[in-house]
Amino acid sequence: MSSLRNLLHSTYKSAAERVLPTRTQSAFKEKGVLTPEEFVAAGDYLVHSCPTWSWEGGDPKKARPFLPPSKQFLITRNVPCLRRAAAVEEYGEQTEREVEAGDEGEGWITADRSARPGAAAGATTTNDDGFEEVPSIEEASGGNGGTAAAEAVSGEAAGGSSGRGGAEEEEEEVPDIDELELEDEEEDEAALRPAPHSGNGGGGEEHIVRTRTYDLLITYDKYYSVPRFWLIGYNENRQPLTSEQVLEDVSEEHARKTVTMEPHPHGAEGVQAASIHPCQHANVMHKLSERVANEAGEFPVERYLVLFLKFIASVVPTIEYDYTMAAGA
């Protein structure tokens, strides 16, 4: 049902874009939307600030007339994705608190890793100051660690001194050189033999997290007058990911809700891409830009896409594109 709804909406939206006029009046500060000219200016700033992004024209048959032929969309390729989104969300469930560092009040955020009731002896815990406490030998061995260690050392010393006298009285046996060569040959042959495979056929590879890569695109959506973000994923063999695999790299909050699979806007026929639906982009960007302007005093429209990528990072937290640039003036 959702696929049918998305298809109907896309069909209606495409038809509406053919008759709707292109936005010419700037409403960036009032509504968080962009004109095509503002989109190009923001794209130029992104390409200049982060050279991993670049402009492309794509298929001339699919070019939008309100954008320059060579600046139809922005793209960055082969962006690594080392983990699945669920792994990050699982870590984020830990309680975080600020740890003060000195009288200035500046500190950092640390995850609360306090030991649960019944935790194993020797496990590290977090003290009231936010630092991990390493247990002593006595605590790790139930209170007798120091005595046991001392007895072990004294026992080794006694054994070594008692055996030394007998070793001096007896002559050392010198091994035959032919025996040594034979042993070396056997070890070499054993090393060359292939390791036996387990019966499950997986060889332990089921625990390996495969590295994925993504091509990321930003287009201009005429209907909503905002940028639109697209993802095309590949596995280690550069084979396209399925829609289910792509959703594994999207936060659970947005997967199947705001992310849809649609035809690549500038690619070959039949190429599908995941898209973050832009219906709420204007509202979110308006609030974020106002917040930045209140803190920095100004937020120029040229930095729109820098802030936009920071917002998108919350949707695809494990796709490691560069969103570290400052968004404020």
Side-chain angles (χ1 to χ4, degrees):
M1 181 62 68
S2 60
S3 300
L4 178 61
R5 185 169 57 251
N6 291 331
L7 177 61
L8 293 175
H9 177 75
S10 298
T11 303
Y12 164 77
K13 181 171 168 290
S14 298
E17 286 184 346
R18 295 190 185 99
V19 297
L20 288 175
T22 304
R23 179 178 291 276
T24 57
Q25 296 294 325
S26 177
F28 155 65
K29 293 185 178 180
E30 295 79 13
K31 299 180 180 180
V33 296
L34 296 177
T35 65
E37 291 76 15
E38 290 173 331
F39 173 74
V40 172
D44 289 341
Y45 181 86
L46 177 64
V47 171
H48 174 75
S49 303
C50 185
T52 56
W53 289 91
S54 61
W55 282 109
E56 287 201 6
D59 187 352
K61 297 179 181 179
K62 298 182 178 181
R64 313 302 296 272
F66 47 81
L67 292 173
S70 61
K71 296 182 178 181
Q72 291 289 307
F73 62 95
L74 292 150
I75 187 170
T76 180
R77 292 183 171 87
N78 299 321
V79 180
C81 181
L82 306 180
R83 296 176 294 170
R84 308 290 77 83
V88 176
E89 292 170 355
E90 180 180 355
Y91 176 81
E93 291 176 359
Q94 300 183 73
T95 304
E96 292 184 345
R97 59 193 180 90
E98 183 175 359
V99 179
E100 298 265 331
D103 299 334
E104 294 81 2
E106 297 181 356
W108 64 93
I109 300 297
T110 179
D112 187 359
R113 299 181 182 177
S114 301
R116 297 181 300 272
T124 59
T125 58
T126 304
N127 60 22
D128 294 336
D129 295 325
F131 298 96
E132 289 189 355
E133 294 180 340
V134 180
S136 63
I137 296 178
E138 290 80 359
E139 294 174 348
S141 58
N144 298 324
T147 305
E151 291 176 354
V153 173
S154 61
E156 289 178 0
S161 60
S162 61
R164 189 178 299 112
E168 292 176 352
E169 293 176 358
E170 297 180 0
E171 294 184 359
E172 295 183 356
E173 294 183 0
V174 180
D176 191 343
I177 190 170
D178 294 332
E179 296 178 359
L180 290 177
E181 292 179 353
L182 180 59
E183 291 176 359
D184 291 341
E185 292 176 359
E186 293 176 350
E187 291 176 358
D188 293 340
E189 292 177 358
L192 292 174
R193 296 191 194 103
H197 293 283
S198 59
N200 56 13
E205 294 184 356
E206 64 273 10
H207 300 297
I208 299 176
V209 180
R210 300 295 183 183
T211 300
R212 298 173 175 176
T213 56
Y214 278 88
D215 293 345
L216 310 179
L217 299 86
I218 303 176
T219 61
Y220 179 79
D221 191 288
K222 179 183 177 182
Y223 185 82
Y224 292 104
S225 299
V226 293
R228 186 165 186 175
F229 194 81
W230 302 80
L231 310 92
I232 304 176
Y234 304 91
N235 61 18
E236 286 185 328
N237 299 318
R238 198 60 184 174
Q239 296 300 313
L241 299 177
T242 65
S243 58
E244 294 297 324
Q245 290 174 320
V246 172
L247 291 177
E248 292 175 353
D249 298 323
V250 178
S251 69
E252 184 178 358
E253 181 181 356
H254 299 88
R256 307 181 191 281
K257 298 178 182 178
T258 60
V259 177
T260 58
M261 299 297 295
E262 301 184 26
H264 188 300
H266 293 277
E269 296 296 334
V271 177
Q272 294 287 311
S275 173
I276 301 175
H277 202 273
C279 58
Q280 295 297 323
H281 285 4
N283 183 40
V284 173
M285 290 301 299
H286 180 232
K287 293 179 179 178
L288 291 177
S289 60
E290 278 191 337
R291 184 181 305 174
V292 174
N294 292 334
E295 295 176 356
E298 182 184 4
F299 181 71
V301 69
E302 290 78 11
R303 304 197 182 200
Y304 186 103
L305 288 179
V306 176
L307 184 61
F308 175 74
L309 289 175
K310 293 179 181 292
F311 153 58
I312 294 296
S314 64
V315 183
V316 286
T318 58
I319 300 179
E320 300 180 0
Y321 64 88
D322 186 6
Y323 55 86
T324 60
M325 297 170 290

